[in-house]
Amino acid sequence: MLVEFNTLPETARVWIYQCNRSFSEKEMDEIDADLKTFLTSWTAHGNDLKAGYEIKYKRFIIIALDQTLQGATGCSIDASVHFIQALEKKYDVLLLDKMNVSYKQGEFVAYKSLVDFKAMAKQKAISKNTIVFNNLVANKGEYLQHWEVPASESWHARFL
């Protein structure tokens, strides 16, 4: 059951998929339609899942699930991963690679390998004030409060 993202409770579970490049406007429209189709029919053991999504900065797909009515199961999570893998293939992008970091350079969102990010930290090309995206947040409340934060307030701080 697809619902507006902003209507989901702060306890809703979130999954954040960062892309290795920005999506074009055409791709955004197609992904928006694909997400609506997938989430409308997303189920766990035959029960509808109450879920919503956002696409941020033309680069991040955020899916949220209200688990108060029906929680995600192994099969429903597998279905969502297969959906994301299909997007990766369709648009020739990376969405599931967790060994990469996204951060802001002004209004631009940069995407680097973890190795390159560590090297940049060592060279002082990024600082504790660099805004990073903490894709490890677990629920909508954390996403709203702690997703886009200075590196000093995230797991990224270990590299500074």
Side-chain angles (χ1 to χ4, degrees):
M1 164 184 9
L2 177 64
V3 299
E4 290 293 323
F5 185 88
N6 62 358
T7 66
L8 292 165
E10 288 198 359
T11 57
R13 183 173 178 183
V14 295
W15 291 270
I16 300 173
Y17 303 98
Q18 69 180 358
C19 190
N20 59 316
R21 64 167 174 81
S22 294
F23 294 115
S24 70
E25 289 300 325
K26 180 178 183 285
E27 289 171 333
M28 293 267 297
D29 291 341
E30 292 173 2
I31 291 167
D32 187 64
D34 289 344
L35 279 160
K36 286 178 181 167
T37 300
F38 172 73
L39 294 177
T40 297
S41 61
W42 196 24
T43 62
H45 298 300
N47 298 315
D48 285 343
L49 293 174
K50 186 177 178 183
Y53 70 95
E54 285 190 326
I55 302 173
K56 298 284 277 195
Y57 300 110
K58 297 183 178 183
R59 205 178 259 271
F60 298 93
I61 297 171
I62 299 96
I63 297 175
L65 170 64
D66 180 354
Q67 298 194 108
T68 56
L69 300 175
Q70 174 66 52
T73 62
C75 291
S76 60
I77 292 170
D78 285 350
S80 68
V81 170
H82 290 306
F83 168 75
I84 295 296
Q85 287 172 325
L87 292 179
E88 284 184 318
K89 190 176 235 180
K90 182 176 181 179
Y91 298 104
D92 192 26
V93 295
L94 297 174
L95 291 165
L96 292 166
D97 190 342
K98 303 292 185 196
M99 296 305 294
N100 296 303
V101 176
S102 291
Y103 61 96
K104 280 189 170 179
Q105 287 183 315
E107 288 303 307
F108 177 75
V109 175
Y111 177 91
K112 298 285 184 195
S113 71
L114 193 53
V115 170
D116 288 346
F117 186 81
K118 287 180 189 179
M120 290 177 67
K122 197 174 206 179
Q123 299 162 357
K124 308 283 189 225
I126 54 171
S127 74
K128 64 181 181 167
N129 298 320
T130 300
I131 301 299
V132 296
F133 296 92
N134 179 9
N135 297 325
L136 300 179
V137 295
N139 61 48
K140 184 181 166 193
E142 288 179 10
Y143 164 71
L144 294 173
Q145 298 297 316
H146 304 292
W147 176 57
E148 210 172 316
V149 294
S152 62
E153 297 176 23
S154 177
W155 63 268
H156 303 83
R158 73 182 87 167
F159 306 122
L160 303 173

